[in-house]
């Protein structure tokens, strides 16, 4: 297992700006344990946030990659770490919400083992198709699928991913037949849509947006409550007549259970300052992401709602990964 580290440091002057109550924390580097290899989505997000977070905290922020088992290695590691605010987990929807239903046994408890700090980003989910596909919007896809024996096949970035679940939720709500073709990640899935091997698929904006902007894919719909600024002409699922299909991959930051409330409050406050800065807002928006800053309580409620929303569908589809 390859572990990589990168430090982001600042001068001593920034530390002096911290309020008096916070001077005892932090007094050493903070490690953010990413459960995927360097260069992946979570890694990119955290490396963009690390310099600003380091400046706010007055200590180096270390990004440590512990890839393996779809992020579960890192989650298990952080769950067992000392609850002192120096080891943090940037968890995604799978790690903190879906895995509890996808696996009969987990090396950690997604709710009981962590203290929420804040939601960080959401990445809108697009339904994209090859430019020569015989439909130009979501309603066209639905009508076309209903006319085909067996419906249409779609490229799924992985069994049990939020992408597949989003497409299955769309199928369920709109009542049209689809068959998933499983790939190892959104990058692999989108390649076969680009080549025309598979006509359509649910891909997040981080991966799909450059291809849509280049005219190599057409976006049929965005599974968001409202249209996104990057693609103002692409309608939402609701606008296509399908209600209740708001779906998005997301990332949030958590600490081991038992981390003192004052430390959680400090981390949440400083993370909010970084996330709402013009530089990060612009950078994440350009990448097709929506930066979010929440209170720990709001993030806790959000995770529990995601669990309540997706676990019944996973059970209905009988998806198991072990």
């Amino acid at each position: 297992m390859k572990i990589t580290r990168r430090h982001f440091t600042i001068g001593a002057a920034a530390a002096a700006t911290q309020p008096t109550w916070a001077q005892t924390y932090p007094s050493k580097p903070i490690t953010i344990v990413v459960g995927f290899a360097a260069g992946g989505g979570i890694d990119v997000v955290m490396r963009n946030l690390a310099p600003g977070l380091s400046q706010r905290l007055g200590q180096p922020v270390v990004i440590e990659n512990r890839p393996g088992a779809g992020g579960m290695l890192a989650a298990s590691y952080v769950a067992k770490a000392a609850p002192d605010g120096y080891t943090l987990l940037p968890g995604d929807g799978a790690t903190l919400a879906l895995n509890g239903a996808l696996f009969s046994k987990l090396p950690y408890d997604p709710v009981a083992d962590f203290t929420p700090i804040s939601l960080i980003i959401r990445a809108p989910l697009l339904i994209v198709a090859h430019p020569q596909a015989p439909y130009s919007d979501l309603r066209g896809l639905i009508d076309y699928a209903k006319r085909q024996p067996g419906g249409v096949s779609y490229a799924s970035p992985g069994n049990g991913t939020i992408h597949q679940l989003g497409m299955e939720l769309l199928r369920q709500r709109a009542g049209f037949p689809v068959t998933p073709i499983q790939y190892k990640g959104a990058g692999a899935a989108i390649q076969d849509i680009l080549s025309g091997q598979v006509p359509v698929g649910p891909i997040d904006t981080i991966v799909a947006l450059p291809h849509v902007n280049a005219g190599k894919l057409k976006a049929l719909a965005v599974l968001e409550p409202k249209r996104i600024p990057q693609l103002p002409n692409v309608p939402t699922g609701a606008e296509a007549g399908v209600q209740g299909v708001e779906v998005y991959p997301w990332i949030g930051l958590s600490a081991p259970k038992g981390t003192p409330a004052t430390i959680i409050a400090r981390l949440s406050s400083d993370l909010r300052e970084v996330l709402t800065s013009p530089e990060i807002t612009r950078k994440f928006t350009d990448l097709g992401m929506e930066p979010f800053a929440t209170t720990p309580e709001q993030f806790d409620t959000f995770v529990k709602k995601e669990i309540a929303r997706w676990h019944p569908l996973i059970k209905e589809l009988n998806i198991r990964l072990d």
Side-chain angles (χ1 to χ4, degrees), residues 127 134-148 151-152 167 169-178 200 220-221 223 236-243 245:
I127 305 301
Y135 31 78
S136 297
D137 54 29
L138 181 57
R139 177 49 55 187
L141 167 64
I142 293 168
D143 293 342
Y144 176 84
K146 288 180 177 179
R147 296 193 302 267
Q148 307 307 307
V152 296
M167 194 68 170
L169 182 64
L170 188 61
R171 169 197 63 75
Q172 184 188 71
R173 293 294 171 89
F176 67 105
V178 293
V200 67
L220 309 183
L223 302 189
T236 66
E239 288 177 312
V242 187
Q243 302 296 325
V245 288

Side-chain angles (χ1 to χ4, degrees), residues 30-34 46 50 53 61-65 78 86-90 253:
I30 295 100
T31 299
I32 294 177
V33 184
V34 174
M46 297 317 300
L53 195 54
V61 172
V62 182
I63 304 297
E64 181 176 301
N65 297 89
V78 174
Y86 292 102
T87 307
L88 308 176
L89 176 75
L253 193 64

Side-chain angles (χ1 to χ4, degrees), residues 9 12-13 19 21 34 40 95 107 116 139 141 156 170 174 202 234 241 248 252 260 277 292 311 319:
T9 59
W21 65 266
V34 174
T95 305
R139 177 49 55 187
L141 167 64
S156 166
L170 188 61
V234 176
Y248 30 78
S277 69
F292 272 81
H311 280 212
I319 301 174

Side-chain angles (χ1 to χ4, degrees), residues 10-317:
I10 63 169
T17 66
Q18 303 296 341
T20 304
W21 65 266
Q23 292 305 304
T24 56
Y25 174 85
S27 58
K28 62 181 181 179
I30 295 100
T31 299
I32 294 177
V33 184
V34 174
F36 302 90
I42 296 180
D43 183 77
V44 169
V45 167
M46 297 317 300
R47 289 185 191 279
N48 272 292
L49 290 177
L53 195 54
S54 174
Q55 185 173 10
R56 294 288 306 174
L57 290 166
Q59 287 289 339
V61 172
V62 182
I63 304 297
E64 181 176 301
N65 297 89
R66 287 182 173 262
M72 289 190 287
L73 260 179
S76 178
Y77 176 82
V78 174
K80 295 177 175 66
D84 53 13
Y86 292 102
T87 307
L88 308 176
L89 176 75
D92 62 356
T95 305
L96 296 177
L98 305 182
N99 282 353
L102 293 169
F103 295 89
S104 57
K105 257 189 168 182
L106 285 178
Y108 64 94
D109 187 308
V111 174
D113 286 347
F114 300 103
T115 300
I117 296 171
S118 177
L119 186 63
I120 296 175
I121 63 100
R122 299 193 321 190
L125 199 64
L126 296 173
I127 305 301
V128 297
H130 188 272
Q132 294 181 8
Y135 31 78
S136 297
D137 54 29
L138 181 57
R139 177 49 55 187
L141 167 64
I142 293 168
D143 293 342
Y144 176 84
K146 288 180 177 179
R147 296 193 302 267
Q148 307 307 307
V152 296
S153 297
Y154 72 90
S156 166
N159 195 24
T161 60
I162 194 71
H163 308 75
Q164 180 192 2
L165 294 176
M167 194 68 170
E168 294 295 335
L169 182 64
L170 188 61
R171 169 197 63 75
Q172 184 188 71
R173 293 294 171 89
F176 67 105
V178 293
T179 301
I181 298 176
Q182 302 295 351
Y183 291 83
K184 292 184 178 179
I190 205 169
Q191 288 306 313
D192 271 9
I193 304 174
L194 287 164
S195 68
Q197 295 297 310
V198 184
V200 67
I203 307 292
D204 53 85
T205 48
I206 302 171
V207 177
L209 195 58
H211 301 292
V212 173
N213 288 337
K216 296 179 180 179
L217 292 174
K218 54 185 176 183
L220 309 183
V222 57
L223 302 189
E224 278 280 293
K226 59 183 180 179
R227 298 189 185 196
I228 60 175
Q230 300 93 334
L231 298 171
N233 295 323
V234 176
T236 66
E239 288 177 312
V242 187
Q243 302 296 325
V245 288
E246 290 76 32
V247 183
Y248 30 78
W250 53 267
I251 300 169
L253 193 64
S254 299
K257 201 70 174 181
T259 302
T262 53
I263 291 177
I264 296 297
R266 171 72 189 278
L267 288 166
S268 179
S269 174
D270 285 355
L271 185 57
R272 174 183 295 273
E273 292 296 322
V274 177
L275 281 167
T276 56
S277 69
E279 178 187 2
I280 289 297
T281 298
R282 183 174 59 254
K283 185 174 291 188
F284 282 2
T285 300
D286 288 346
L287 289 171
M289 296 181 284
E290 297 177 281
F292 272 81
T294 68
T295 65
E297 294 76 19
Q298 288 170 332
F299 184 36
D300 181 53
T301 299
F302 174 83
V303 171
K304 289 173 180 175
K305 283 184 177 178
E306 286 288 280
I307 290 172
R309 182 187 191 194
W310 293 113
H311 280 212
L313 181 60
I314 292 170
K315 185 176 180 180
E316 176 189 326
L317 296 172

